[in-house]
Amino acid sequence: MHKVFAVIRREFVERVRTRAFLLTTLLGPLFFGGLIILPALLLSRGNTGVRVAIVDASEGEFGQRVADALGKVTVGRGEKATAKYEVTRIRSGADSKAVLDSLVPLTGLQEADGAPGFDGILVVDEDGIASGRMRYFGENVASQEDMGSLRSTLTPLVVTERLRRAGVDPTVALRATTPLGLETRKITQGKLTEESGGAVFALAYAMGIILYMALLLYGTQVMTSVIEEKSNRIIEVLVSSLTPFQMMLGKVVGVGLVSLTQISIWAGAAYLLSSNRVAIMSALGIPIPATGGLLPTMSADLLVVFLFFFVLGFLLFSSLYAAVGSMCNTIQDTQQAQFPVLMVVMVGFFSTFALLNDPSSSFAQIAGYIPPLAPFVVPVRYSLSPIPVVQLLLYAATTIIGLLAIVWVSSRIYRVGILMYGKRASVKDVARWIAAG
């Protein structure tokens, strides 16, 4: 076994000392910090001083109420709150088109012919009140944030005006038509948790994407490492002191430890940032209520389930990637040869989305018994709805059996393929290698 450990050590040390590993490891915590800070920062800040000209062609004082409401919209909270809009109301009467045409050349300008420019023009007329479709012209119409702010400000004003004109008390009507807010909380094993529906979804999605990215990043590293050793003829030297199975095992485990090391650092950073986000926001001066926790918490039992199936899934697919590498002679050959493995990985990843609506469906229960799908499906299903212990053990047992079978097949391909040069192996060649391995 000391020879296997030597291969593991070599694969591990060579990769953790590279600049790419160090850079991506450092960028991980920065990425998770951005998930916490940037949304809160965007929620607490926004465009201010947006110059809006209101072309008022409405009856009564509705145009003035619109101007007053826009003038009260602020960005930020507390003492740091600033006005979002700078409003100029222009009464147009029946000739609103002429007024609008005269304002269009001024839109987007800081100053034109001694008159201040505007960022946008809002037309308030009787047709807009009746149809519920106001017209806004400006340079910032592509901004979903600005348009959403404008829409949310105008909607209650238009509804109130309609009710007032219909002789209905707006206060009573608006109170009766207040939209329903649905607060979600997860129940786990008969106990109410603090996890919301959004947090549960984010956690399930994160687990699936972590395994998917690890297989794409590190599984292909196993494959390319085999190709490099074949092309350099180093493999011929290694075969004299190690069996092909020992080489494949050392390579897969070594690269797997690299991925676990990096993911552990990322997970630790995510946990520390998430648990201390209130202190971080306070230090940066960002209002605490604006900080949404985008990094959900993970229970200890779920972490164990995730890591266990992550290791099984990585070993399973990495052994397949090693077999693919042994079948090819160049990196270009692997682009087509790895397609079947990549398709299985993608099917496993996308199958997790089928669990989100019904984690106890027949598909969810059957998929857990399919070894290539289990590493994706089981942790995600467990995060959504805890799996009975007996069924969880059966999932683990079938995945281990499938892993051993795939490793056995991959090792027979590997032991012959690493010493084969020339053209890429065909399906018949691979079948012959398995039979004769």
Side-chain angles (χ1 to χ4, degrees):
M1 288 298 293
H2 70 280
K3 295 181 180 180
V4 176
F5 288 131
V7 177
I8 294 173
R9 181 180 179 277
R10 174 181 174 274
E11 295 291 335
F12 181 82
V13 172
E14 278 194 357
R15 281 168 174 76
V16 298
R17 293 174 61 181
T18 60
R19 291 182 180 179
F21 177 84
L22 296 175
L23 182 62
T24 54
T25 302
L26 292 175
L27 288 177
L30 295 178
F31 172 75
F32 293 125
L35 286 180
I36 294 178
I37 296 173
L38 289 180
L41 202 58
L42 293 175
L43 287 173
S44 62
R45 298 182 182 180
N47 294 331
T48 58
V50 179
R51 300 162 299 165
V52 176
I54 298 179
V55 178
D56 186 6
S58 63
E59 299 176 359
E61 296 299 318
F62 178 72
Q64 184 60 49
R65 286 192 288 271
V66 171
D68 294 340
L70 291 178
K72 294 178 182 178
V73 177
T74 59
V75 175
R77 305 191 181 196
E79 298 178 354
K80 297 183 179 180
T82 55
K84 183 175 180 65
Y85 299 105
E86 296 177 4
V87 182
T88 302
R89 177 174 170 246
I90 303 171
R91 290 287 296 181
S92 65
D95 196 15
S96 61
K97 186 177 185 305
V99 176
L100 176 63
D101 292 340
S102 67
L103 293 176
V104 168
L106 304 178
T107 304
L109 302 178
Q110 295 296 327
E111 188 171 333
D113 297 330
F118 301 101
D119 295 310
I121 305 169
L122 176 65
V123 179
V124 179
D125 54 15
E126 292 299 309
D127 289 339
I129 298 173
S131 63
R133 298 181 64 86
M134 294 288 183
R135 291 179 292 163
Y136 178 83
F137 309 92
E139 290 188 332
N140 59 334
V141 293
S143 172
Q144 297 299 313
E145 179 186 357
D146 287 346
M147 296 304 99
S149 173
L150 196 61
R151 188 180 298 107
S152 62
T153 304
L154 295 175
T155 297
L157 294 174
V158 173
V159 172
T160 302
E161 183 68 15
R162 288 175 175 174
L163 293 172
R164 183 180 288 109
R165 294 183 180 186
V168 179
D169 187 350
T171 305
V172 176
L174 291 176
R175 187 182 299 116
T177 57
T178 300
L180 175 67
L182 187 63
E183 179 183 352
T184 58
R185 296 272 296 279
K186 183 183 178 183
I187 296 178
T188 302
Q189 296 179 346
K191 296 181 180 180
L192 187 64
T193 68
E194 296 297 325
E195 298 180 49
S196 65
V200 173
F201 172 82
L203 180 60
Y205 180 77
M207 288 191 297
I209 198 68
I210 286 174
L211 179 56
Y212 178 73
M213 293 302 296
L215 290 174
L216 292 185
L217 291 174
Y218 293 102
T220 53
Q221 284 190 20
V222 175
M223 181 178 64
T224 55
S225 177
V226 175
I227 294 292
E228 291 172 358
E229 292 179 353
K230 282 186 66 174
S231 60
N232 296 331
R233 300 300 177 103
I234 297 176
I235 204 78
E236 298 176 0
V237 179
L238 295 175
V239 168
S240 63
S241 57
L242 292 129
T243 65
F245 178 76
Q246 289 175 329
M247 285 189 294
M248 188 183 78
L249 179 63
K251 193 175 294 293
V252 169
V253 174
V255 177
L257 289 176
V258 175
S259 67
L260 281 177
T261 300
Q262 190 170 67
I263 290 172
S264 298
I265 294 173
W266 289 350
Y271 174 78
L272 292 175
L273 290 170
S274 181
S275 59
N276 295 284
R277 61 179 176 266
V278 174
I280 295 173
M281 298 304 149
S282 299
L284 295 176
I286 301 175
I288 301 302
T291 62
L294 292 185
L295 295 177
T297 57
M298 179 180 287
S299 61
D301 55 337
L302 176 59
L303 179 61
V304 171
V305 171
F306 170 69
L307 290 178
F308 178 77
F309 280 92
F310 175 87
V311 171
L312 292 182
F314 188 87
L315 293 176
L316 187 152
F317 285 102
S318 294
S319 62
L320 291 175
Y321 274 115
V324 171
S326 68
M327 293 162 48
C328 304
N329 295 290
T330 63
I331 299 296
Q332 290 74 19
D333 291 340
T334 62
Q335 302 304 315
Q336 183 178 358
Q338 70 169 325
F339 184 73
V341 181
L342 182 60
M343 285 298 298
V344 177
V345 173
M346 294 180 66
V347 169
F349 173 66
F350 287 111
S351 64
T352 60
F353 293 96
L355 309 181
L356 298 177
N357 290 330
D358 188 4
S360 300
S361 63
S362 299
F363 170 79
Q365 298 189 41
I366 295 173
Y369 293 108
I370 303 175
L373 303 183
F376 292 95
V377 172
V378 176
V380 172
R381 183 188 167 196
Y382 192 88
S383 69
L384 299 172
S385 177
I387 304 172
V389 176
V390 176
Q391 192 175 40
L392 188 62
L393 293 176
L394 289 175
Y395 286 156
T398 53
T399 305
I400 292 174
I401 294 172
L403 169 64
L404 295 175
I406 291 174
V407 169
W408 180 81
V409 172
S410 299
S411 64
R412 296 175 77 86
I413 298 173
Y414 183 86
R415 70 178 64 185
V416 179
I418 56 174
L419 298 176
M420 300 294 291
Y421 299 94
K423 68 180 184 70
R424 180 166 61 88
S426 64
V427 177
K428 291 183 178 179
D429 293 332
V430 173
R432 188 170 62 252
W433 294 353
I434 296 173

